[in-house]
Amino acid sequence: MEARCAVVETWAEFGCPSPGTAAKVIWSGEDVLICTGGDEVSVFNTQELKLTAILQFLSPVCHMVLSEDKQSVYAVCESDGVYCVSLPTLHPKSPTPPADQSPGPALIKVSSNSLAARDEGVCSLIEVGGSGGTLVTVSLRDAAWWFTLYKAADHQKLTQFSLPVVSVGHHVESEENGSAGLVMRPVLACVYSSDAPPLSSSSSSTTTKLPRLSSSLGIKHFLLEPLLFKLLFGVDAALINSPMILCGLPDGRLCSLPLLLPGRSGPCVRVLHSMEQPIMFIGTTTGTNDGPQCLVAVGQWGGVVLVRTCEGGPEEGGKVAALTEGCVSGPVVCVCAGREGLYYSTGSDLLALDLPGVREEAPKPEESLVVSHGERQGQGQAMVRARESATLQSPVSLNVCRVIALAGPSRNASGIVQLVALSLRGRLQRLTLPKGTETGGIPRLPLSQVGQRVRDLLAAIGDVCERASVLKSTIQSKNHSLRHLNQVLNVCCLLLANQNSGEQLPVSKKPIRCHVVAKWSRLLQRDSLNLTCVLDNSSPYILERNWTFCVRVLPLSYPLPAGGENTSQTFSFPFQKLEPGGRMEVSLPLTAAGDTSFPVTVSCSLTYSLQSLLGSEELSRLLANGEPASRLGLEGGWVSLPLDTLTVDWLDALQVTGTTPPHRDPNRPPISPDTVSMDIVEAFVSTRRCRGSGRGDGGGGGERMVASDGGLFSASIKVSTELLRRTLGLEPPGSAGPSQGVCGSVLGWLLSQGTGEEDWRGRGDNGGQESSVVYARCLGRHTVKLTAKEVTVGDTSDKEAVEVRVQCSSMAAVCGLHHAVLSRVQALLQGTASTQESSMGVQGLGLRQALQRAQVLSEHLQEARIPEAIGLGMTTGQTTKTLFSVYRQLRENPLLIL
Amino acid sequence: MSRVSAPCLLDRWTEENNAIVDKWKQHRDRGDAVTREQGLTLLKCCYVESHKLLQKIQGVLAVPAHVQLELTVVYNCCLFSFSQTQLTEAEHLLTHSLERGMKHVHTHTALGAVGCDRPPPNPPVFWCMVLKSLGSTPSLRSCALHLLCLSWALWLSTCRLGHIQELQEELQSLSEGLVAVEVAVERSAVRPAVLVHPRDLKDLLLICTVIAQGAELLCEGRCSEALTVLQRDPSPLAPRELLAQIHTLIGLCLSRTGRPHSAMQCYRKALETDVRCVCALHQSILVYRQLGNTQAEIQALRLLHSVLMMPPATQPAVAPPIICPASLLPGQSLSSLLIVPSPLSVLHSLAQKCVLHGRQGVEHYLDLLAALQSDHQLSQGFSEAPSLPRLPELYLEAGSSLLTAQRPTDCLALCDEVISTTLELLPERLLLEEPMEASVPGSPDKLGLGQDRLGVVLWSGAAYLLQGHCYSHLKDWKQAVTHYTRCINLLMKVSVKQKGCVKLELGVRTLQRLKGMALAGRGISFTHRDQKRESLRDLQLSLQAAPGNYRIKFAGLWLTEVLWRLGRRQEAAAFWEKTQSSSTAPSLEGVPLYLLDPQTGPSLDLTDLQRRVEEFVNAQHS
């Protein structure tokens, strides 16, 4: 069984109600009237939470009810009869002395003047129609139940009806039942047809229209569906809108008495049904699905009778009143009716029972419902008969025990249901029921307010939704940032660890590595050199957005610019998403045609902008908040991780054309006239630029000199064959016959990073064995001839060496290439620095010559510098010429590199 | 100590008693100076005070000097209790005090303490004992006689006439005893006052006893015995209302023994004695009805209604007497004899009589409906006389009277109300088995309408019929046909399964009559719409539906006319003959007012028809 806990709040304590008397609680507006069986009735104010008045009667009060207009209370005293006390007299507003801040409860002695009807036998009563209405009392006298009608105004007896008592043994039974030995009283309720106009009080026009809702607190007046009203009480009562008095007798009979029906033949008091157990409660309810009001009665031993309208049988059709009997576990001590169900106390627990609403199908004649919650009483299985649809739901426990009197319920604006209860110990408690106890616990609103309410609710839902989505996005962006940060840190650690520990880590083993290839491409009749950088990501991390791949190109040697500014260029490529194992290839224009001074250093790095840690939205929000970006430490907040530094030199920029001089090819004029002219112009321009500005004349002279030299400039490098063999891993000469491999291999090695090597290799095989020649176009579109030839160095001992000669018409190209070859060889030598010693003697072979040459050159140099030093005579042209020849001399006769 | 204080206390108590009595008497004699409410309050106050005094007196051991005072106080006290209808309290007080007094007498005079411990359960025996033990002392004897009067009153008001019968002799001797005692008591100087003089009380009790006994005998059917009891010479000083009651009861005896005219004399005498004796008026109405004097009956009804509608007799400003005759005569038999119908049912009878006898009853019906709708009827008092018909029938009667008074639109509205009320309750089908089994009274009714199921159909059907009448009155034949058809369709839902040949129940008879009326009405409407075939069919069906005594007379005449118009003159003439030969007027006993032949609507020139038919027959013969 479903259980919910009601919140119990104890308001006040009264003495223990003496057993055998009926405790009673009436809740009317702000006042709660409590009667515990003594001769006092306490009035408790729910607003101030204190006792405001005590009514003292002459004898013990055994029953009390509120008048329909709630202006007076009727109390039945054991030995006197019915007293009527006007309620407004209990609130003397003005005469209360204001100085007395907390006046105690006013003790009001009810004198015999207030006696409304002297009848010792009155068991129960009800008042209908306010002060102009009727008072109906029920008393047991002479083996009959007497229904006596009094005028409410002056308590004049109008008439009385009787109904013979059927069984007198019920008192004994109830005592056997042991439920505190309560004296059973008849239960009275007044039922109106819900379409009847309110009963206007005839005598006094001052009485306002009475609140005629069953939900109105404190009074037992109910509305009934008009059809059911007609079916139960006849057409006559419906025609004149007579209120019906319903009486549940302790012998279980449910009787009805029309209040406004004179002269009706037959007995006025009609027995509608017999429950065969003392009736504890009569009321109406709409049921859970908010249908028309139906009649409900509850017996002391848990019997529940529900009278509803439903379709008649197939024989007659039409509508009939159907009676559904159910059972909940008793004993029922007290009951009060909610809108859709009942609240009842068994003494050990307070339960809420939802009643079903309308039913469409015809009732089975033998149908009756038994629903019990036997597990509470430990009696085992619930006795539910097979054919019963679960019309009575099982009650919901509210977990409040020892309630002996209930009043209410009231429902506040937020739909919370509250009851007022009196416990066995005499505690006055307010029970706040959990929401949803009464299903569909939406407060009743007038239709006009429903729309407004719905709009409000929707707006509230919208607000909450908006707030939730904002929070969600914030959390998401934070997560996002954290993930990014984590990833950035991971990448940083990875790369920095590489730098620290394994500086010598081979390129191929670096987790993130890049290599650079220079490639010529021809576009729109122009050749351009493009640098292609390939980044390999073999790390386990994804390089996502916000990472940038930066390539910085810096000429190794550059002319001092006029402004002194750095001539480096930085290219950055943002990543889209580079998965582990993926590669990114970027290409950047290195030069259009030789306007860059080679060699250049290419530094690759990964950068990360801290700014991008924050999402763009968050950033904009922060900025919008007025936080300057600098405060956030975002400006210039970069993480830069160097990857690799590479050099691109003249060799890399060579464009191999073949092993034969290009101009011999008849099909392809090597240098078309315009190209040539272009070449010349460009060379001119570039040379001038290289030489720097401000020396225009001299530059021109130099160039002319180059041109006028009639031939080619050349430079050569000699490298020991043995060294080459060793370092390049070539075969020894004798082993595999022809040793053509050395020269070819050397050229191949030198050009391996250049372009067009495949072409060259294809033809190179056909070339001479002892020497290899490669023609290539270099920057500035000069044709370069690279020759590798085996020579023997030294006079005495054969020392084989390979001479690499660079010949070109451009001095700059020769210089650049020479430098490039040298740096290659240097790098080669670095790798094999600690190799075994060769014969040291060999080295001496050319030393003398070399020294001599150097001496000569030194003299040349001195000669060239003297005039300048002394500041006279020689033109710059002459000086340059001299220096140039010295340079050439130096390049022509190199030392052998071992 | 007690000896010293006793006389002093005695005086004080006597004074106290006298003060209470004086207070009451002064108030009673002051007349209109006080309201009734104040009187009641004073009475209550005196009641409480005297009880307190008695408690004080009885708190002390009984002394001979006290006994007389004590018993007098008891007498007053009991009277006050009586006025507050605390009969059991009074009786208890009485018995207790007498026992106390007897015990005292016995201890002091040592007159044999025979069985005084417990009073015999039988009051007459007990009283015999009391009178025997207290009778010796004159002062005590007078007190005992006072209390005997009181006891008598208690017996009367609790309908224990048997005890009175048994103590007949003692009670008879009361008057002499009281006179004798008075002389004896006169001598004592300080005399505790009594609230009501026992002699007055005795007179009242005597006449009340006569009335109660007479009523009892009358109810048992022993009219002649009752007559002898009632015709005992009553005290002329008795209240007039009681005298009027005696006259009425005598009248009842006479009328039950078949002497209505003598009865009328008695009723007249009763009314002469007390104008407010409405039951005499009511009974005379019944006699007029029995005698068939409608004129007088209507007049009497009108008078009765106006008397009943009068504001209740201006209560004497003084408090009600300590003992009012009504409280002494609570018997069921008397109230059943003197019952008067409620004003509403009188009004209904009046209206019905007027309508039936060609007077204008509409206004009475409208008054009745207005009274029913208001809740003033609550204050008009209830009566158990069942004389108002069911409310839908009342509505229909009012409707038919409205139609008679040429107010068809009002009638339509009234019928609409009946239809709308009953509409939801109409069964799809209804099978009646004749004879219907009577429901056992007292047993729980079957939930729902039960017996009303046929009623709902009949009321609804009759409402449609009246609406049909209204439309034919307005000469809206199309609407008339519609409403008659609705009525017929509704009645077709009821099927009667007849078992054997027993007299038909009223409901079934009404059903047949209603069906016949509706068919006839539709037939006549068809005639006016010139649909002669349909008309002929409906009129013939109508005659079949309501056969025998319940036949609808005008249907036969219209059938003749239709046949004539159709050119079937032979048949028309034959039918005319048949109609004329069955000269016995159809008995309309038990037929509701609204199912009588309509007074308005399409008329048929009977003389013209008769002339035509007779000419035709003569021509045939010749």
Side-chain angles (χ1 to χ4, degrees):
Chain A
M1 184 175 64
E2 201 182 354
R4 289 198 178 109
C5 278
V7 180
V8 180
E9 182 187 339
T10 301
W11 271 344
E13 286 199 44
F14 300 90
C16 283
S18 47
T21 55
K24 186 104 175 123
V25 179
I26 293 176
W27 187 9
S28 158
E30 285 187 7
D31 288 328
V32 177
L33 285 90
I34 306 106
C35 161
T36 56
D39 52 5
E40 286 178 356
V41 169
S42 310
V43 182
F44 185 85
N45 189 294
T46 59
Q47 297 295 311
E48 299 164 31
L49 291 185
K50 63 169 190 177
L51 273 181
T52 52
I54 293 174
L55 301 174
Q56 194 168 38
F57 289 88
L58 295 172
S59 54
V61 177
C62 49
H63 187 66
M64 62 177 181
V65 294
L66 208 59
S67 73
E68 192 175 351
D69 55 6
K70 299 187 179 179
Q71 295 301 305
S72 47
V73 63
Y74 290 92
V76 181
C77 288
E78 270 174 16
S79 55
D80 296 319
V82 183
Y83 285 86
C84 175
V85 181
S86 171
L87 276 181
T89 60
L90 303 184
H91 302 288
K93 297 282 186 220
S94 45
T96 326
D100 199 0
Q101 284 304 319
S102 56
L107 181 68
I108 299 168
K109 295 203 172 180
V110 180
S111 68
S112 53
N113 290 346
S114 306
L115 197 62
R118 179 178 289 280
D119 186 351
E120 293 160 31
V122 170
C123 297
S124 195
L125 81 160
I126 192 167
E127 191 249 28
V128 185
S131 56
T134 316
L135 182 68
V136 182
T137 65
V138 182
S139 45
L140 181 61
R141 199 177 345 115
D142 305 332
W145 294 102
W146 287 89
F147 295 84
T148 315
L149 276 65
Y150 298 89
K151 258 195 206 175
D154 55 359
H155 312 304
Q156 188 189 339
K157 196 185 211 173
L158 293 173
T159 182
Q160 60 180 17
F161 311 100
S162 70
L163 185 76
V165 169
V166 166
S167 81
V168 198
H170 60 272
H171 283 293
V172 182
E173 283 170 23
S174 70
E175 271 155 1
E176 277 172 3
N177 200 24
S179 64
L182 279 177
V183 179
M184 302 308 301
R185 300 186 171 277
V187 183
L188 285 171
C190 179
V191 175
Y192 296 89
S193 174
S194 57
D195 62 348
L199 189 69
S200 62
S201 50
S202 54
S203 61
S204 63
S205 57
T206 52
T207 42
T208 50
K209 285 202 171 178
L210 306 167
R212 291 251 321 274
L213 287 173
S214 57
S215 62
S216 86
L217 282 172
I219 51 172
K220 298 204 168 243
H221 293 246
F222 302 98
L223 296 180
L224 199 62
E225 182 201 359
L227 178 55
L228 187 58
F229 189 89
K230 279 183 231 168
L231 285 170
L232 284 179
F233 309 124
V235 182
D236 307 55
L239 264 176
I240 56 166
N241 300 320
S242 165
M244 297 297 292
I245 303 291
L246 284 180
C247 177
L249 294 173
D251 56 20
R253 281 179 298 174
L254 182 61
C255 319
S256 69
L257 170 72
L259 201 58
L260 278 193
L261 218 53
R264 167 86 197 262
S265 59
C268 267
V269 182
R270 210 174 124 228
V271 178
L272 290 175
H273 177 67
S274 181
M275 283 185 77
E276 288 163 0
Q277 53 182 289
I279 295 178
M280 296 298 292
F281 173 80
I282 299 172
T284 65
T285 175
T286 58
T288 46
N289 45 8
D290 213 6
Q293 302 95 344
C294 55
L295 190 69
V296 62
V298 181
Q300 193 197 6
W301 306 329
V304 178
V305 166
L306 213 58
V307 186
R308 289 174 294 188
T309 319
C310 65
E311 297 293 333
E315 308 87 44
E316 293 184 2
K319 300 271 185 180
V320 293
L323 193 133
T324 314
E325 286 193 281
C327 189
V328 293
S329 78
V332 176
V333 176
C334 54
V335 187
C336 68
R339 189 162 56 87
E340 293 167 349
L342 304 173
Y343 301 99
Y344 69 94
S345 169
T346 59
S348 59
D349 197 359
L350 181 69
L351 298 130
L353 176 68
D354 279 348
L355 291 172
V358 218
R359 47 178 306 171
E360 297 301 330
E361 77 276 21
K364 314 289 182 296
E366 68 274 33
E367 182 174 42
S368 77
L369 297 159
V370 182
V371 177
S372 84
H373 44 289
E375 66 274 12
R376 286 199 71 79
Q377 300 188 318
Q379 290 172 347
Q381 288 297 310
M383 296 285 292
V384 181
R385 290 201 338 223
R387 60 177 305 158
E388 291 137 11
S389 52
T391 315
L392 266 196
Q393 298 169 5
S394 58
V396 178
S397 168
L398 297 171
N399 287 315
V400 185
C401 61
R402 282 183 284 211
V403 170
I404 56 166
L406 272 176
S410 90
R411 187 192 282 272
N412 66 11
S414 53
I416 292 168
V417 178
Q418 292 183 332
L419 301 172
V420 169
L422 189 70
S423 76
L424 192 60
R425 295 273 172 85
R427 286 201 182 107
L428 180 68
Q429 298 168 329
R430 180 175 68 182
L431 312 178
T432 307
L433 303 191
K435 256 196 157 176
T437 306
E438 198 160 310
T439 46
I442 308 155
R444 271 293 147 97
L445 281 174
L447 207 60
S448 55
Q449 286 178 31
V450 168
Q452 181 59 41
R453 181 99 179 126
V454 167
R455 273 200 293 281
D456 290 352
L457 285 174
L458 283 178
I461 291 170
D463 288 348
V464 169
C465 193
E466 204 172 298
R467 229 170 60 215
S469 71
V470 164
L471 286 175
K472 199 173 153 193
S473 71
T474 308
I475 287 168
Q476 266 182 351
S477 73
K478 273 182 183 161
N479 278 341
H480 196 69
S481 300
L482 283 175
R483 215 178 61 228
H484 269 298
L485 192 61
N486 187 34
Q487 195 227 11
V488 168
L489 285 176
N490 279 331
V491 173
C492 286
C493 287
L494 192 73
L495 292 179
L496 289 176
N498 280 340
Q499 280 187 346
N500 293 338
S501 63
E503 267 179 62
Q504 275 78 36
L505 207 63
V507 175
S508 61
K509 286 183 186 170
K510 284 187 178 175
I512 297 174
R513 60 179 176 270
C514 62
H515 60 97
V516 175
V517 178
K519 275 185 183 167
W520 285 97
S521 67
R522 188 175 182 84
L523 194 69
L524 296 172
Q525 296 286 316
R526 284 187 63 164
D527 288 327
S528 61
L529 186 64
N530 283 336
L531 201 62
T532 306
C533 291
V534 178
L535 182 81
D536 264 322
N537 178 19
S538 47
S539 71
Y541 309 111
I542 305 173
L543 293 173
E544 280 184 299
R545 255 191 245 214
N546 307 324
W547 280 103
T548 315
F549 179 45
C550 286
V551 181
R552 184 160 173 257
V553 178
L554 179 71
L556 197 61
S557 63
Y558 48 89
L560 203 66
E565 77 235 12
N566 203 338
T567 55
S568 70
Q569 279 180 293
T570 305
F571 303 86
S572 43
F573 305 92
F575 286 92
Q576 282 305 311
K577 190 174 189 181
L578 192 62
E579 299 278 345
R583 55 164 42 199
M584 187 171 83
E585 193 172 314
V586 298
S587 65
L588 44 111
L590 201 56
T591 170
D595 57 345
T596 311
S597 46
F598 272 76
V600 293
T601 310
V602 177
S603 332
C604 302
S605 59
L606 286 175
T607 56
Y608 188 86
S609 157
L610 288 180
Q611 210 164 337
S612 56
L613 272 180
L614 304 172
S616 58
E617 288 170 23
E618 203 168 355
L619 192 65
S620 62
R621 193 165 54 81
L622 283 172
L623 293 176
N625 283 352
E627 301 263 0
S630 57
R631 285 258 304 274
L632 299 170
L634 295 174
E635 275 178 357
W638 292 88
V639 175
S640 184
L641 301 165
L643 280 176
D644 226 338
T645 306
L646 303 159
T647 309
V648 178
D649 52 21
W650 282 81
L651 271 174
D652 291 319
L654 273 187
Q655 215 173 353
V656 177
T657 52
T659 49
T660 51
H663 58 270
R664 290 185 193 167
D665 196 345
N667 298 332
R668 181 177 171 251
I671 304 159
S672 58
D674 53 338
T675 324
V676 169
S677 64
M678 181 88 83
D679 275 352
I680 291 166
V681 172
E682 282 178 357
F684 171 71
V685 170
S686 66
T687 324
R688 278 184 64 82
R689 199 176 296 153
C690 284
R691 298 278 159 85
S693 55
R695 284 200 216 168
D697 290 339
E703 187 64 28
R704 274 194 307 274
M705 179 201 70
V706 172
S708 67
D709 217 11
L712 301 162
F713 299 104
S714 73
S716 65
I717 297 157
K718 285 179 190 154
V719 184
S720 150
T721 313
E722 198 186 345
L723 178 72
L724 287 173
R725 274 190 210 282
R726 209 172 51 237
T727 51
L728 295 175
L730 301 173
E731 301 122 23
S735 62
S739 65
Q740 55 89 22
V742 180
C743 296
S745 300
V746 168
L747 280 183
W749 169 66
L750 285 175
L751 295 171
S752 63
Q753 286 160 330
T755 52
E757 56 193 296
E758 288 82 15
D759 299 351
W760 172 75
R761 276 214 192 281
R763 287 174 224 163
D765 285 343
N766 303 328
Q769 293 192 344
E770 289 307 304
S771 66
S772 295
V773 179
V774 167
Y775 290 94
R777 242 184 355 257
C778 70
L779 291 163
R781 308 210 62 81
H782 301 290
T783 305
V784 176
K785 183 183 173 193
L786 274 177
T787 320
K789 145 173 111 175
E790 282 188 87
V791 291
T792 311
V793 179
D795 310 319
T796 55
S797 62
D798 274 357
K799 195 66 183 176
E800 286 185 0
V802 174
E803 187 193 52
V804 179
R805 180 170 291 274
V806 180
Q807 287 173 294
C808 183
S809 56
S810 161
M811 187 61 205
V814 171
C815 289
L817 283 169
H818 182 248
H819 176 255
V821 172
L822 266 181
S823 63
R824 298 285 169 96
V825 174
Q826 248 177 351
L828 193 72
L829 284 177
Q830 265 183 357
T832 58
S834 59
T835 49
Q836 71 271 31
E837 173 55 30
S838 58
S839 53
M840 283 297 290
V842 183
Q843 211 44 353
L845 291 176
L847 268 180
R848 194 167 298 147
Q849 278 185 328
L851 272 174
Q852 283 173 355
R853 279 198 295 268
Q855 241 168 349
V856 175
L857 288 173
S858 173
E859 282 167 16
H860 282 221
L861 262 180
Q862 291 296 335
E863 281 172 24
R865 292 175 67 181
I866 285 166
E868 202 170 10
I870 59 174
L872 54 105
M874 274 175 85
T875 59
T876 46
Q878 280 174 317
T879 313
T880 313
K881 202 170 178 182
T882 315
L883 284 174
F884 190 62
S885 70
V886 170
Y887 179 79
R888 278 176 61 189
Q889 292 285 320
L890 275 174
R891 293 291 176 269
E892 279 294 338
N893 299 297
L895 285 173
L896 174 66
I897 298 168
L898 292 173
Chain B
M1 175 105 179
S2 69
R3 280 279 162 201
V4 180
S5 64
C8 178
L9 264 183
L10 183 70
D11 289 344
R12 259 168 52 192
W13 285 338
T14 312
E15 277 168 25
E16 211 170 317
N17 174 61
N18 291 0
I20 295 169
V21 172
D22 280 350
K23 192 160 87 179
W24 170 245
K25 277 186 175 165
Q26 270 177 16
H27 162 75
R28 193 186 57 188
D29 299 336
R30 207 160 35 193
D32 54 359
V34 284
T35 63
R36 181 186 159 80
E37 288 298 315
Q38 283 171 316
L40 284 173
T41 317
L42 183 75
L43 196 57
K44 219 175 274 178
C45 178
C46 292
Y47 161 75
V48 174
E49 278 176 27
S50 67
H51 272 260
K52 273 184 191 155
L53 176 64
L54 185 63
Q55 272 170 359
K56 274 189 273 183
I57 295 171
Q58 292 194 335
V60 182
L61 271 176
V63 192
H66 285 182
V67 175
Q68 194 191 351
L69 171 69
E70 184 181 331
L71 291 183
T72 313
V73 173
V74 166
Y75 174 80
N76 289 337
C77 237
C78 283
L79 278 176
F80 278 126
S81 291
F82 202 92
S83 74
Q84 301 292 309
T85 60
Q86 301 290 314
L87 300 183
T88 42
E89 185 192 71
E91 189 155 10
H92 179 75
L93 202 62
L94 199 62
T95 322
H96 173 72
S97 304
L98 281 171
E99 274 171 41
R100 215 176 107 94
M102 270 156 63
K103 208 175 277 174
H104 157 81
V105 168
H106 283 210
T107 45
H108 278 264
T109 56
L111 261 179
V114 201
C116 306
D117 305 326
R118 286 185 66 83
N122 192 359
V125 179
F126 173 69
W127 266 107
C128 288
M129 223 165 72
V130 168
L131 288 175
K132 202 191 283 171
S133 71
L134 296 183
S136 51
T137 325
S139 61
L140 289 187
R141 181 178 163 77
S142 81
C143 289
L145 289 179
H146 291 181
L147 292 181
L148 180 59
C149 278
L150 211 54
S151 199
W152 186 1
L154 283 173
W155 291 333
L156 252 184
S157 54
T158 49
C159 297
R160 283 178 284 184
L161 293 178
H163 295 341
I164 300 171
Q165 203 76 39
E166 280 181 52
L167 285 177
Q168 193 89 36
E169 286 175 32
E170 281 82 0
L171 296 177
Q172 286 296 329
S173 64
L174 255 180
S175 37
E176 302 98 58
L178 283 173
V179 172
V181 164
E182 236 167 275
V183 177
V185 168
E186 241 13 276
R187 281 181 230 138
S188 110
V190 193
R191 192 177 124 226
V194 287
L195 208 51
V196 177
H197 200 281
R199 203 174 44 219
D200 301 341
L201 188 59
K202 187 214 68 176
D203 288 343
L204 185 64
L205 289 173
L206 206 56
I207 189 165
C208 284
T209 309
V210 165
I211 293 173
Q213 283 176 339
E216 207 64 41
L217 290 170
L218 197 55
C219 278
E220 286 166 23
R222 293 144 73 179
C223 291
S224 50
E225 286 174 56
L227 206 55
T228 42
V229 169
L230 288 167
Q231 280 175 336
R232 276 183 209 151
D233 191 26
S235 156
L237 291 174
R240 283 202 285 179
E241 56 197 274
L242 293 182
L243 287 177
Q245 276 185 16
I246 287 183
H247 287 307
T248 313
L249 288 176
I250 292 172
L252 270 171
C253 288
L254 291 172
S255 111
R256 289 195 182 182
T257 47
R259 283 177 280 174
H261 293 285
S262 314
M264 280 305 295
Q265 293 296 326
C266 288
Y267 295 144
R268 187 170 300 153
K269 213 183 282 175
L271 279 171
E272 278 165 6
T273 317
D274 181 15
V275 188
R276 297 190 165 274
C277 187
V278 279
C279 63
L281 197 53
H282 173 62
Q283 292 300 329
S284 55
I285 290 167
L286 296 182
V287 172
Y288 283 135
R289 193 172 296 168
Q290 190 189 340
L291 296 175
N293 188 349
T294 311
Q295 186 76 23
E297 188 189 344
I298 289 176
Q299 269 178 6
L301 275 171
R302 209 166 267 159
L303 188 62
L304 178 60
H305 182 244
S306 56
V307 169
L308 285 175
M309 289 308 288
M310 269 202 290
T314 42
Q315 293 279 353
V318 292
I322 291 285
I323 289 190
C324 61
S327 64
L328 292 174
L329 293 170
Q332 285 287 315
S333 42
L334 180 69
S335 54
S336 73
L337 287 174
L338 298 182
I339 198 162
V340 178
S342 72
L344 290 181
S345 78
V346 173
L347 191 57
H348 175 246
S349 305
L350 178 60
Q352 205 174 26
K353 278 275 174 289
C354 287
V355 170
L356 276 175
H357 294 94
R359 310 281 189 84
Q360 281 297 320
V362 192
E363 294 309 320
H364 297 309
Y365 268 117
L366 292 183
D367 285 350
L368 183 59
L369 290 188
L372 280 172
Q373 289 291 349
S374 79
D375 28 295
H376 280 284
Q377 53 161 309
L378 267 181
S379 53
Q380 287 176 10
F382 282 69
S383 159
E384 295 205 42
S387 46
L388 267 193
R390 300 295 303 270
L391 287 181
E393 293 174 17
L394 202 62
Y395 274 57
L396 291 169
E397 285 182 15
S400 98
S401 78
L402 279 168
L403 182 60
T404 314
Q406 312 276 331
R407 291 165 66 176
T409 43
D410 294 338
C411 174
L412 281 174
L414 211 52
C415 290
D416 268 337
E417 193 156 348
V418 175
I419 289 167
S420 67
T421 311
T422 51
L423 192 65
E424 288 174 304
L425 304 174
L426 291 174
E428 296 285 325
R429 282 165 298 281
L430 187 60
L431 178 68
L432 295 178
E433 296 202 16
E434 281 281 304
M436 295 181 219
E437 57 279 327
S439 64
V440 185
S443 69
D445 284 356
K446 190 185 167 189
L447 203 64
L449 283 177
Q451 299 276 308
D452 270 358
R453 286 175 310 157
L454 178 60
V456 168
V457 176
L458 292 179
W459 298 328
S460 212
Y464 282 127
L465 176 78
L466 279 182
Q467 288 192 330
H469 287 342
C470 289
Y471 283 114
S472 11
H473 178 82
L474 294 169
K475 306 227 184 314
D476 185 349
W477 303 113
K478 189 160 179 287
Q479 282 291 332
V481 167
T482 309
H483 284 88
Y484 286 129
T485 310
R486 277 185 196 163
C487 173
I488 294 162
N489 288 344
L490 192 59
L491 298 178
M492 289 306 170
K493 288 178 181 171
V494 186
S495 50
V496 182
K497 198 165 146 190
Q498 229 164 328
K499 283 184 195 161
C501 185
V502 284
K503 191 171 182 290
L504 290 177
E505 296 257 350
L506 180 63
V508 181
R509 279 181 285 154
T510 312
L511 179 75
Q512 288 179 347
R513 169 96 189 161
L514 189 55
K515 210 185 275 180
M517 293 277 284
L519 283 165
R522 194 167 71 168
I524 295 165
S525 301
F526 275 134
T527 316
H528 286 88
R529 286 169 63 84
D530 225 20
Q531 292 170 289
K532 297 199 191 67
R533 294 191 171 280
E534 289 83 354
S535 164
L536 186 65
R537 180 202 61 201
D538 278 353
L539 287 170
Q540 274 169 340
L541 282 173
S542 163
L543 288 176
Q544 284 169 20
N549 281 345
Y550 309 107
R551 72 171 192 280
I552 293 125
K553 196 179 172 192
F554 63 91
L557 301 177
W558 274 97
L559 186 58
T560 317
E561 172 73 20
V562 170
L563 284 170
W564 185 268
R565 286 192 197 174
L566 278 169
R568 293 151 72 170
R569 301 194 172 186
Q570 192 74 45
E571 287 172 71
F575 199 79
W576 177 260
E577 295 276 323
K578 199 169 132 197
T579 313
Q580 296 303 313
S581 62
S582 61
S583 56
T584 52
S587 87
L588 292 174
E589 193 192 346
V591 171
L593 188 65
Y594 47 89
L595 290 186
L596 298 178
D597 293 346
Q599 308 289 313
T600 61
S603 57
L604 194 60
D605 193 349
L606 272 185
T607 48
D608 179 47
L609 182 64
Q610 188 174 11
R611 184 181 47 76
R612 276 181 280 155
V613 171
E614 276 169 5
E615 274 175 15
F616 176 72
V617 172
N618 290 337
Q620 288 250 310
H621 281 297
S622 60

